[in-house]
PDB file of all heavy atoms in Angstrom:
ATOM      1  N   SER A   1      19.439 -35.436 -22.772  1.00 75.00           N
ATOM      2  CA  SER A   1      20.190 -34.262 -23.248  1.00 75.00           C
ATOM      3  C   SER A   1      19.328 -33.008 -23.335  1.00 75.00           C
ATOM      4  O   SER A   1      19.446 -32.220 -24.269  1.00 75.00           O
ATOM      5  CB  SER A   1      20.825 -34.557 -24.612  1.00 75.00           C
ATOM      6  OG  SER A   1      21.721 -35.636 -24.513  1.00 75.00           O
ATOM      7  N   GLY A   2      18.425 -32.831 -22.365  1.00 76.00           N
ATOM      8  CA  GLY A   2      17.615 -31.617 -22.297  1.00 76.00           C
ATOM      9  C   GLY A   2      16.406 -31.599 -23.212  1.00 76.00           C
ATOM     10  O   GLY A   2      15.656 -30.632 -23.230  1.00 76.00           O
ATOM     11  N   VAL A   3      16.175 -32.648 -23.986  1.00 79.00           N
ATOM     12  CA  VAL A   3      15.020 -32.707 -24.885  1.00 79.00           C
ATOM     13  C   VAL A   3      13.770 -32.983 -24.067  1.00 79.00           C
ATOM     14  O   VAL A   3      13.761 -33.847 -23.191  1.00 79.00           O
ATOM     15  CB  VAL A   3      15.219 -33.796 -25.964  1.00 79.00           C
ATOM     16  CG1 VAL A   3      13.959 -33.966 -26.804  1.00 79.00           C
ATOM     17  CG2 VAL A   3      16.412 -33.456 -26.840  1.00 79.00           C
ATOM     18  N   ASP A   4      12.687 -32.261 -24.353  1.00 75.00           N
ATOM     19  CA  ASP A   4      11.444 -32.431 -23.621  1.00 75.00           C
ATOM     20  C   ASP A   4      10.269 -32.335 -24.585  1.00 75.00           C
ATOM     21  O   ASP A   4      10.347 -31.680 -25.624  1.00 75.00           O
ATOM     22  CB  ASP A   4      11.321 -31.351 -22.538  1.00 75.00           C
ATOM     23  CG  ASP A   4      10.275 -31.679 -21.501  1.00 75.00           C
ATOM     24  OD1 ASP A   4       9.768 -32.825 -21.477  1.00 75.00           O
ATOM     25  OD2 ASP A   4       9.945 -30.786 -20.699  1.00 75.00           O
ATOM     26  N   GLY A   5       9.169 -33.004 -24.220  1.00 70.00           N
ATOM     27  CA  GLY A   5       7.940 -32.888 -24.989  1.00 70.00           C
ATOM     28  C   GLY A   5       7.789 -33.905 -26.096  1.00 70.00           C
ATOM     29  O   GLY A   5       7.051 -33.671 -27.048  1.00 70.00           O
ATOM     30  N   LEU A   6       8.440 -35.053 -25.989  1.00 71.00           N
ATOM     31  CA  LEU A   6       8.330 -36.072 -27.045  1.00 71.00           C
ATOM     32  C   LEU A   6       7.631 -37.342 -26.579  1.00 71.00           C
ATOM     33  O   LEU A   6       7.708 -38.364 -27.256  1.00 71.00           O
ATOM     34  CB  LEU A   6       9.721 -36.426 -27.592  1.00 71.00           C
ATOM     35  CG  LEU A   6      10.496 -35.304 -28.258  1.00 71.00           C
ATOM     36  CD1 LEU A   6      11.821 -35.830 -28.792  1.00 71.00           C
ATOM     37  CD2 LEU A   6       9.681 -34.669 -29.376  1.00 71.00           C
ATOM     38  N   ASP A   7       6.926 -37.289 -25.449  1.00 71.00           N
ATOM     39  CA  ASP A   7       6.225 -38.470 -24.966  1.00 71.00           C
ATOM     40  C   ASP A   7       4.963 -38.685 -25.795  1.00 71.00           C
ATOM     41  O   ASP A   7       4.035 -37.900 -25.751  1.00 71.00           O
ATOM     42  CB  ASP A   7       5.877 -38.297 -23.487  1.00 71.00           C
ATOM     43  CG  ASP A   7       5.245 -39.533 -22.885  1.00 71.00           C
ATOM     44  OD1 ASP A   7       5.396 -40.633 -23.463  1.00 71.00           O
ATOM     45  OD2 ASP A   7       4.588 -39.396 -21.839  1.00 71.00           O
ATOM     46  N   ASP A   8       4.933 -39.757 -26.567  1.00 69.00           N
ATOM     47  CA  ASP A   8       3.834 -40.093 -27.485  1.00 69.00           C
ATOM     48  C   ASP A   8       3.677 -39.061 -28.593  1.00 69.00           C
ATOM     49  O   ASP A   8       2.596 -38.519 -28.819  1.00 69.00           O
ATOM     50  CB  ASP A   8       2.512 -40.271 -26.743  1.00 69.00           C
ATOM     51  CG  ASP A   8       2.474 -41.540 -25.943  1.00 69.00           C
ATOM     52  OD1 ASP A   8       3.198 -42.495 -26.290  1.00 69.00           O
ATOM     53  OD2 ASP A   8       1.710 -41.599 -24.958  1.00 69.00           O
ATOM     54  N   VAL A   9       4.743 -38.800 -29.314  1.00 77.00           N
ATOM     55  CA  VAL A   9       4.690 -37.892 -30.467  1.00 77.00           C
ATOM     56  C   VAL A   9       3.807 -38.515 -31.544  1.00 77.00           C
ATOM     57  O   VAL A   9       3.974 -39.672 -31.896  1.00 77.00           O
ATOM     58  CB  VAL A   9       6.100 -37.630 -31.045  1.00 77.00           C
ATOM     59  CG1 VAL A   9       6.011 -36.883 -32.362  1.00 77.00           C
ATOM     60  CG2 VAL A   9       6.931 -36.857 -30.050  1.00 77.00           C
ATOM     61  N   PHE A  10       2.857 -37.742 -32.053  1.00 78.00           N
ATOM     62  CA  PHE A  10       1.975 -38.210 -33.110  1.00 78.00           C
ATOM     63  C   PHE A  10       2.194 -37.482 -34.429  1.00 78.00           C
ATOM     64  O   PHE A  10       1.857 -38.002 -35.482  1.00 78.00           O
ATOM     65  CB  PHE A  10       0.506 -38.036 -32.704  1.00 78.00           C
ATOM     66  CG  PHE A  10      -0.002 -39.139 -31.851  1.00 78.00           C
ATOM     67  CD1 PHE A  10       0.143 -39.082 -30.475  1.00 78.00           C
ATOM     68  CD2 PHE A  10      -0.612 -40.243 -32.401  1.00 78.00           C
ATOM     69  CE1 PHE A  10      -0.322 -40.094 -29.669  1.00 78.00           C
ATOM     70  CE2 PHE A  10      -1.080 -41.270 -31.611  1.00 78.00           C
ATOM     71  CZ  PHE A  10      -0.935 -41.194 -30.231  1.00 78.00           C
ATOM     72  N   ALA A  11       2.699 -36.267 -34.378  1.00 83.00           N
ATOM     73  CA  ALA A  11       2.825 -35.497 -35.613  1.00 83.00           C
ATOM     74  C   ALA A  11       3.965 -34.498 -35.487  1.00 83.00           C
ATOM     75  O   ALA A  11       4.322 -34.076 -34.392  1.00 83.00           O
ATOM     76  CB  ALA A  11       1.525 -34.749 -35.903  1.00 83.00           C
ATOM     77  N   SER A  12       4.507 -34.144 -36.637  1.00 87.00           N
ATOM     78  CA  SER A  12       5.531 -33.104 -36.676  1.00 87.00           C
ATOM     79  C   SER A  12       5.422 -32.372 -37.999  1.00 87.00           C
ATOM     80  O   SER A  12       4.859 -32.890 -38.965  1.00 87.00           O
ATOM     81  CB  SER A  12       6.929 -33.703 -36.511  1.00 87.00           C
ATOM     82  OG  SER A  12       7.212 -34.583 -37.571  1.00 87.00           O
ATOM     83  N   ALA A  13       5.960 -31.168 -38.028  1.00 92.00           N
ATOM     84  CA  ALA A  13       5.959 -30.372 -39.254  1.00 92.00           C
ATOM     85  C   ALA A  13       7.191 -29.476 -39.253  1.00 92.00           C
ATOM     86  O   ALA A  13       7.595 -28.957 -38.214  1.00 92.00           O
ATOM     87  CB  ALA A  13       4.694 -29.512 -39.339  1.00 92.00           C
ATOM     88  N   VAL A  14       7.758 -29.303 -40.431  1.00 94.00           N
ATOM     89  CA  VAL A  14       8.910 -28.423 -40.619  1.00 94.00           C
ATOM     90  C   VAL A  14       8.399 -27.110 -41.189  1.00 94.00           C
ATOM     91  O   VAL A  14       7.553 -27.095 -42.088  1.00 94.00           O
ATOM     92  CB  VAL A  14       9.950 -29.064 -41.569  1.00 94.00           C
ATOM     93  CG1 VAL A  14      11.097 -28.106 -41.851  1.00 94.00           C
ATOM     94  CG2 VAL A  14      10.468 -30.368 -40.982  1.00 94.00           C
ATOM     95  N   SER A  15       8.916 -26.008 -40.678  1.00 96.00           N
ATOM     96  CA  SER A  15       8.510 -24.689 -41.159  1.00 96.00           C
ATOM     97  C   SER A  15       8.892 -24.527 -42.634  1.00 96.00           C
ATOM     98  O   SER A  15       9.847 -25.146 -43.105  1.00 96.00           O
ATOM     99  CB  SER A  15       9.158 -23.596 -40.316  1.00 96.00           C
ATOM    100  OG  SER A  15      10.572 -23.675 -40.399  1.00 96.00           O
ATOM    101  N   PRO A  16       8.159 -23.688 -43.372  1.00 95.00           N
ATOM    102  CA  PRO A  16       8.431 -23.500 -44.801  1.00 95.00           C
ATOM    103  C   PRO A  16       9.860 -23.042 -45.103  1.00 95.00           C
ATOM    104  O   PRO A  16      10.410 -23.394 -46.141  1.00 95.00           O
ATOM    105  CB  PRO A  16       7.423 -22.435 -45.230  1.00 95.00           C
ATOM    106  CG  PRO A  16       6.332 -22.513 -44.233  1.00 95.00           C
ATOM    107  CD  PRO A  16       6.981 -22.935 -42.943  1.00 95.00           C
ATOM    108  N   ASP A  17      10.464 -22.307 -44.176  1.00 94.00           N
ATOM    109  CA  ASP A  17      11.844 -21.855 -44.392  1.00 94.00           C
ATOM    110  C   ASP A  17      12.870 -22.914 -43.999  1.00 94.00           C
ATOM    111  O   ASP A  17      14.067 -22.734 -44.177  1.00 94.00           O
ATOM    112  CB  ASP A  17      12.116 -20.552 -43.639  1.00 94.00           C
ATOM    113  CG  ASP A  17      11.901 -20.665 -42.129  1.00 94.00           C
ATOM    114  OD1 ASP A  17      11.738 -21.797 -41.612  1.00 94.00           O
ATOM    115  OD2 ASP A  17      11.900 -19.621 -41.468  1.00 94.00           O
ATOM    116  N   GLY A  18      12.397 -24.035 -43.432  1.00 94.00           N
ATOM    117  CA  GLY A  18      13.275 -25.137 -43.063  1.00 94.00           C
ATOM    118  C   GLY A  18      14.058 -24.930 -41.782  1.00 94.00           C
ATOM    119  O   GLY A  18      14.893 -25.754 -41.422  1.00 94.00           O
ATOM    120  N   LYS A  19      13.786 -23.834 -41.041  1.00 95.00           N
ATOM    121  CA  LYS A  19      14.574 -23.513 -39.850  1.00 95.00           C
ATOM    122  C   LYS A  19      14.088 -24.172 -38.577  1.00 95.00           C
ATOM    123  O   LYS A  19      14.835 -24.265 -37.610  1.00 95.00           O
ATOM    124  CB  LYS A  19      14.608 -21.994 -39.645  1.00 95.00           C
ATOM    125  CG  LYS A  19      15.349 -21.264 -40.735  1.00 95.00           C
ATOM    126  CD  LYS A  19      15.534 -19.771 -40.530  1.00 95.00           C
ATOM    127  CE  LYS A  19      14.640 -19.061 -39.601  1.00 95.00           C
ATOM    128  NZ  LYS A  19      14.835 -17.605 -39.568  1.00 95.00           N
ATOM    129  N   HIS A  20      12.833 -24.651 -38.543  1.00 96.00           N
ATOM    130  CA  HIS A  20      12.273 -25.176 -37.304  1.00 96.00           C
ATOM    131  C   HIS A  20      11.425 -26.415 -37.562  1.00 96.00           C
ATOM    132  O   HIS A  20      10.818 -26.549 -38.621  1.00 96.00           O
ATOM    133  CB  HIS A  20      11.408 -24.111 -36.616  1.00 96.00           C
ATOM    134  CG  HIS A  20      12.160 -22.872 -36.305  1.00 96.00           C
ATOM    135  ND1 HIS A  20      12.073 -21.733 -37.081  1.00 96.00           N
ATOM    136  CD2 HIS A  20      13.060 -22.597 -35.331  1.00 96.00           C
ATOM    137  CE1 HIS A  20      12.879 -20.807 -36.577  1.00 96.00           C
ATOM    138  NE2 HIS A  20      13.480 -21.299 -35.525  1.00 96.00           N
ATOM    139  N   LEU A  21      11.377 -27.285 -36.546  1.00 91.00           N
ATOM    140  CA  LEU A  21      10.491 -28.439 -36.562  1.00 91.00           C
ATOM    141  C   LEU A  21       9.638 -28.369 -35.312  1.00 91.00           C
ATOM    142  O   LEU A  21      10.146 -28.060 -34.223  1.00 91.00           O
ATOM    143  CB  LEU A  21      11.289 -29.743 -36.565  1.00 91.00           C
ATOM    144  CG  LEU A  21      10.417 -31.007 -36.533  1.00 91.00           C
ATOM    145  CD1 LEU A  21      10.875 -31.983 -37.599  1.00 91.00           C
ATOM    146  CD2 LEU A  21      10.430 -31.661 -35.173  1.00 91.00           C
ATOM    147  N   TYR A  22       8.334 -28.633 -35.472  1.00 93.00           N
ATOM    148  CA  TYR A  22       7.397 -28.658 -34.360  1.00 93.00           C
ATOM    149  C   TYR A  22       6.898 -30.089 -34.207  1.00 93.00           C
ATOM    150  O   TYR A  22       6.510 -30.720 -35.195  1.00 93.00           O
ATOM    151  CB  TYR A  22       6.213 -27.714 -34.613  1.00 93.00           C
ATOM    152  CG  TYR A  22       6.665 -26.286 -34.752  1.00 93.00           C
ATOM    153  CD1 TYR A  22       7.068 -25.784 -35.981  1.00 93.00           C
ATOM    154  CD2 TYR A  22       6.729 -25.452 -33.639  1.00 93.00           C
ATOM    155  CE1 TYR A  22       7.521 -24.479 -36.113  1.00 93.00           C
ATOM    156  CE2 TYR A  22       7.181 -24.141 -33.766  1.00 93.00           C
ATOM    157  CZ  TYR A  22       7.577 -23.668 -35.001  1.00 93.00           C
ATOM    158  OH  TYR A  22       8.034 -22.382 -35.127  1.00 93.00           O
ATOM    159  N   ALA A  23       6.900 -30.609 -32.981  1.00 88.00           N
ATOM    160  CA  ALA A  23       6.417 -31.957 -32.698  1.00 88.00           C
ATOM    161  C   ALA A  23       5.280 -31.864 -31.694  1.00 88.00           C
ATOM    162  O   ALA A  23       5.390 -31.167 -30.679  1.00 88.00           O
ATOM    163  CB  ALA A  23       7.546 -32.810 -32.140  1.00 88.00           C
ATOM    164  N   VAL A  24       4.176 -32.568 -31.969  1.00 86.00           N
ATOM    165  CA  VAL A  24       3.010 -32.574 -31.088  1.00 86.00           C
ATOM    166  C   VAL A  24       2.967 -33.922 -30.384  1.00 86.00           C
ATOM    167  O   VAL A  24       2.989 -34.967 -31.033  1.00 86.00           O
ATOM    168  CB  VAL A  24       1.714 -32.350 -31.890  1.00 86.00           C
ATOM    169  CG1 VAL A  24       0.512 -32.361 -30.969  1.00 86.00           C
ATOM    170  CG2 VAL A  24       1.787 -31.046 -32.661  1.00 86.00           C
ATOM    171  N   ALA A  25       2.918 -33.883 -29.046  1.00 81.00           N
ATOM    172  CA  ALA A  25       2.970 -35.113 -28.251  1.00 81.00           C
ATOM    173  C   ALA A  25       1.781 -35.202 -27.309  1.00 81.00           C
ATOM    174  O   ALA A  25       1.533 -34.282 -26.531  1.00 81.00           O
ATOM    175  CB  ALA A  25       4.267 -35.163 -27.457  1.00 81.00           C
ATOM    176  N   GLY A  26       1.069 -36.321 -27.375  1.00 74.00           N
ATOM    177  CA  GLY A  26      -0.089 -36.545 -26.513  1.00 74.00           C
ATOM    178  C   GLY A  26       0.288 -36.842 -25.079  1.00 74.00           C
ATOM    179  O   GLY A  26      -0.380 -36.402 -24.153  1.00 74.00           O
ATOM    180  N   GLY A  27       1.358 -37.599 -24.863  1.00 72.00           N
ATOM    181  CA  GLY A  27       1.768 -37.952 -23.506  1.00 72.00           C
ATOM    182  C   GLY A  27       2.195 -36.752 -22.691  1.00 72.00           C
ATOM    183  O   GLY A  27       1.995 -36.707 -21.485  1.00 72.00           O
ATOM    184  N   ASP A  28       2.780 -35.770 -23.357  1.00 73.00           N
ATOM    185  CA  ASP A  28       3.202 -34.545 -22.676  1.00 73.00           C
ATOM    186  C   ASP A  28       2.188 -33.414 -22.827  1.00 73.00           C
ATOM    187  O   ASP A  28       2.393 -32.332 -22.282  1.00 73.00           O
ATOM    188  CB  ASP A  28       4.545 -34.055 -23.245  1.00 73.00           C
ATOM    189  CG  ASP A  28       5.717 -34.854 -22.728  1.00 73.00           C
ATOM    190  OD1 ASP A  28       5.682 -35.275 -21.558  1.00 73.00           O
ATOM    191  OD2 ASP A  28       6.671 -35.057 -23.489  1.00 73.00           O
ATOM    192  N   ASN A  29       1.126 -33.642 -23.620  1.00 77.00           N
ATOM    193  CA  ASN A  29       0.170 -32.567 -23.919  1.00 77.00           C
ATOM    194  C   ASN A  29       0.925 -31.314 -24.353  1.00 77.00           C
ATOM    195  O   ASN A  29       0.780 -30.248 -23.775  1.00 77.00           O
ATOM    196  CB  ASN A  29      -0.719 -32.248 -22.720  1.00 77.00           C
ATOM    197  CG  ASN A  29      -1.640 -33.385 -22.371  1.00 77.00           C
ATOM    198  OD1 ASN A  29      -1.950 -34.226 -23.213  1.00 77.00           O
ATOM    199  ND2 ASN A  29      -2.066 -33.436 -21.130  1.00 77.00           N
ATOM    200  N   SER A  30       1.762 -31.481 -25.375  1.00 83.00           N
ATOM    201  CA  SER A  30       2.661 -30.379 -25.693  1.00 83.00           C
ATOM    202  C   SER A  30       2.983 -30.263 -27.176  1.00 83.00           C
ATOM    203  O   SER A  30       2.743 -31.172 -27.966  1.00 83.00           O
ATOM    204  CB  SER A  30       3.973 -30.570 -24.931  1.00 83.00           C
ATOM    205  OG  SER A  30       4.645 -31.714 -25.420  1.00 83.00           O
ATOM    206  N   ILE A  31       3.543 -29.114 -27.493  1.00 88.00           N
ATOM    207  CA  ILE A  31       4.171 -28.847 -28.781  1.00 88.00           C
ATOM    208  C   ILE A  31       5.620 -28.510 -28.463  1.00 88.00           C
ATOM    209  O   ILE A  31       5.883 -27.639 -27.642  1.00 88.00           O
ATOM    210  CB  ILE A  31       3.539 -27.645 -29.507  1.00 88.00           C
ATOM    211  CG1 ILE A  31       2.048 -27.833 -29.688  1.00 88.00           C
ATOM    212  CG2 ILE A  31       4.233 -27.400 -30.843  1.00 88.00           C
ATOM    213  CD1 ILE A  31       1.336 -26.558 -30.104  1.00 88.00           C
ATOM    214  N   SER A  32       6.538 -29.205 -29.091  1.00 89.00           N
ATOM    215  CA  SER A  32       7.962 -28.924 -28.878  1.00 89.00           C
ATOM    216  C   SER A  32       8.538 -28.274 -30.122  1.00 89.00           C
ATOM    217  O   SER A  32       8.192 -28.630 -31.243  1.00 89.00           O
ATOM    218  CB  SER A  32       8.728 -30.210 -28.573  1.00 89.00           C
ATOM    219  OG  SER A  32       8.324 -30.717 -27.338  1.00 89.00           O
ATOM    220  N   LEU A  33       9.442 -27.338 -29.889  1.00 93.00           N
ATOM    221  CA  LEU A  33      10.112 -26.615 -30.962  1.00 93.00           C
ATOM    222  C   LEU A  33      11.569 -27.035 -31.018  1.00 93.00           C
ATOM    223  O   LEU A  33      12.252 -27.074 -29.992  1.00 93.00           O
ATOM    224  CB  LEU A  33      10.024 -25.101 -30.706  1.00 93.00           C
ATOM    225  CG  LEU A  33      10.941 -24.193 -31.532  1.00 93.00           C
ATOM    226  CD1 LEU A  33      10.609 -24.268 -33.021  1.00 93.00           C
ATOM    227  CD2 LEU A  33      10.851 -22.762 -31.020  1.00 93.00           C
ATOM    228  N   PHE A  34      12.026 -27.339 -32.216  1.00 91.00           N
ATOM    229  CA  PHE A  34      13.422 -27.663 -32.461  1.00 91.00           C
ATOM    230  C   PHE A  34      13.952 -26.736 -33.547  1.00 91.00           C
ATOM    231  O   PHE A  34      13.274 -26.492 -34.545  1.00 91.00           O
ATOM    232  CB  PHE A  34      13.578 -29.112 -32.937  1.00 91.00           C
ATOM    233  CG  PHE A  34      13.155 -30.106 -31.905  1.00 91.00           C
ATOM    234  CD1 PHE A  34      11.821 -30.489 -31.791  1.00 91.00           C
ATOM    235  CD2 PHE A  34      14.076 -30.649 -31.032  1.00 91.00           C
ATOM    236  CE1 PHE A  34      11.422 -31.392 -30.833  1.00 91.00           C
ATOM    237  CE2 PHE A  34      13.690 -31.562 -30.060  1.00 91.00           C
ATOM    238  CZ  PHE A  34      12.353 -31.929 -29.965  1.00 91.00           C
TER     239      PHE A  34
END
C-alpha cells in the first residue's frame, strides 16, 4: 500500500506534538516519515 523504508526497522520515535512518527530501518538504510 505504498509504504516504504521499513526493511529491518530498529527504532522509531513520535514527534512531541504527536503528529509524526519516524522509523529508522537498516535494510533500507533509511528514515521513514509517517
Side-chain angles (χ1 to χ4, degrees):
S1 299
V3 174
D4 196 11
L6 298 182
D7 185 19
D8 288 335
V9 171
F10 277 88
S12 62
V14 176
S15 61
D17 59 11
K19 294 185 339 185
H20 302 101
L21 178 131
Y22 298 87
V24 180
D28 283 325
N29 294 337
S30 67
I31 304 167
S32 293
L33 166 64
F34 296 86

